[in-house]
């Protein structure tokens, strides 16, 4: 088919990407995060990383806009802004560490820690004492560092919010707002670096139609779920994505 030339993908690969984006958008609509992690896990079977990142950044920005009606009144802007300051400090440090540490090895260790703390929190651990300005700055720095080094910056933020027993609606709204701002910044950098090209636009355009459908379904699941159910789903998601990440890190050694 002639239109496949513009995507530089087979029809089967296009269907697979559409399905992955649909599942990822449902997860984002429910959790408030996890879209990028899910897409990366799926896309990596088809595309190289340098082609995956710009597609996901564009979709992340757009899906955040679709989520606004569902989360706007639940965003903790104080938390988001303090975390952004920490991320701004930590991101360059993470990029600097790339010259000294192996991203694959670090990725493996981070996934192991995420699994450990997810299981710990599932068993009832919580800590309100870290829910202060210092805690927010610190987790922002950790998130920014890990994002620059391994692209796993969102996971520690999710764990931080779950540890402090904040309401699920606030967790979802704050995470969605945070990643919207950070993804806009990352997309601008990618565009200036010339990573976004016309093929990226062709591949992204038809996927935009899927996003509001997935977000709507995810929000319906969220509204009907209990707080305990939300936390369990997030924990299981973090564990699953960490296992996938460990598998990819090990097979790429």
């Amino acid at each position: 088919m002639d239109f496949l030339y513009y995507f530089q993908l087979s029809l089967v690969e296009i269907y697979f990407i559409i399905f992955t984006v649909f599942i990822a958008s449902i997860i984002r609509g429910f959790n408030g995060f996890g879209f990028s992690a899910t897409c990366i896990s799926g896309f990596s079977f088809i595309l190289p990383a340098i082609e995956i990142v710009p597609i996901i950044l564009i979709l992340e920005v757009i899906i955040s806009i679709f989520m606004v009606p569902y989360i706007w009144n639940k965003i903790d802007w104080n938390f988001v802004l303090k975390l952004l300051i920490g991320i701004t400090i930590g991101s360059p440090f993470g990029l600097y560490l790339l010259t000294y540490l192996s991203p694959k090895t670090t990725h493996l260790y981070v996934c192991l820690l995420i699994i450990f703390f997810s299981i710990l929190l599932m068993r009832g651990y919580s800590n309100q004492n870290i829910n202060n300005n210092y805690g927010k700055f610190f987790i922002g720095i950790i998130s920014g560092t890990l994002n620059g080094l391994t692209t796993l910056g969102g996971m520690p933020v999710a764990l931080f919010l779950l540890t402090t027993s904040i309401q699920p609606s606030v967790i979802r709204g704050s995470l969605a707002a945070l990643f919207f701002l950070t993804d806009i910044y990352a997309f601008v950098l990618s565009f200036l670096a010339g990573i976004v090209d016309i093929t990226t636009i062709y591949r992204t355009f038809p996927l935009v139609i899927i996003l509001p459908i997935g977000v709507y379904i995810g929000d319906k699941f969220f509204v009907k779920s209990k707080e305990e159910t939300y936390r369990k789903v997030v924990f299981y998601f973090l564990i699953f994505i960490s296992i996938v990440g460990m598998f990819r890190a090990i097979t790429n050694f």
Side-chain angles (χ1 to χ4, degrees):
M1 298 183 183
D2 292 338
F3 75 91
L4 295 179
Y5 169 80
Y6 297 101
F7 298 101
Q8 296 184 20
L9 295 167
S10 69
L11 194 58
V12 173
E13 289 173 334
I14 291 175
Y15 285 144
F16 179 77
I17 287 177
I18 290 174
F19 176 76
T20 301
V21 169
F22 178 63
I23 297 300
S25 60
I26 293 175
I27 291 171
R28 177 64 182 274
F30 183 85
N31 287 350
F33 74 103
F35 181 85
S36 294
T38 305
C39 286
I40 289 173
S41 298
F43 290 5
S44 61
F45 291 102
I46 298 173
L47 299 170
I50 196 170
E51 295 181 27
I52 294 174
V53 172
I55 295 174
I56 291 177
L57 287 176
I58 295 173
L59 293 176
E60 275 277 16
V61 172
I62 296 173
I63 198 171
S64 296
I65 295 173
F66 286 133
M67 284 196 68
V68 167
Y70 304 108
I71 63 167
W72 184 256
N73 294 329
K74 299 297 182 180
I75 299 173
D76 182 349
W77 287 109
N78 179 273
F79 168 79
V80 171
L81 293 176
K82 286 183 171 62
L83 210 66
L84 278 174
I85 295 174
I87 289 174
T88 302
I89 297 171
S91 295
F93 183 61
L95 293 173
Y96 172 76
L97 288 177
L98 278 174
T99 60
Y100 296 97
L101 300 177
S102 167
K104 295 175 184 177
T105 303
T106 307
H107 192 109
L108 183 61
Y109 288 145
V110 171
C111 287
L112 284 170
L113 286 173
I114 294 295
I115 291 173
F116 171 77
F117 282 110
S118 294
I119 293 174
L120 187 66
L121 291 172
M122 287 177 70
R123 296 178 65 86
Y125 175 78
S126 64
N127 189 342
Q128 293 287 349
N129 295 328
I130 63 174
N131 189 16
N132 53 53
N133 290 337
Y134 294 109
K136 293 169 186 175
F137 286 133
F138 178 74
I139 200 65
I141 292 173
I142 295 296
S143 175
T145 302
L146 290 179
N147 206 47
L149 186 59
T150 67
T151 70
L152 294 176
M155 291 188 176
V157 178
L159 284 175
F160 173 84
L161 289 170
L162 291 167
T163 302
T164 54
S165 300
I166 297 174
Q167 291 183 351
S169 58
V170 176
I171 293 176
R172 187 177 72 142
S174 300
L175 286 174
L178 175 67
F179 297 139
F180 173 61
L181 296 173
T182 55
D183 287 333
I184 287 179
Y185 175 66
F187 172 73
V188 171
L189 292 180
S190 298
F191 181 80
L192 294 176
I195 297 176
V196 179
D197 57 17
I198 191 63
T199 301
T200 300
I201 303 300
Y202 282 136
R203 288 172 173 173
T204 305
F205 184 74
L207 298 176
V208 174
I209 304 172
I210 307 298
L211 301 181
I213 302 173
V215 168
Y216 176 80
I217 295 172
D219 180 71
K220 289 300 179 183
F221 283 135
F222 176 81
V223 171
K224 293 179 180 179
S225 68
K226 298 179 180 178
E227 180 174 343
E228 183 180 353
T229 303
Y230 174 82
R231 293 180 182 277
K232 284 184 177 180
V233 169
V234 172
F235 289 140
Y236 287 137
F237 173 78
L238 289 172
I239 291 172
F240 174 76
I241 288 297
S242 296
I243 291 173
V244 173
M246 288 171 58
F247 176 77
R248 288 174 56 211
I250 292 172
T251 54
N252 287 332
F253 271 119

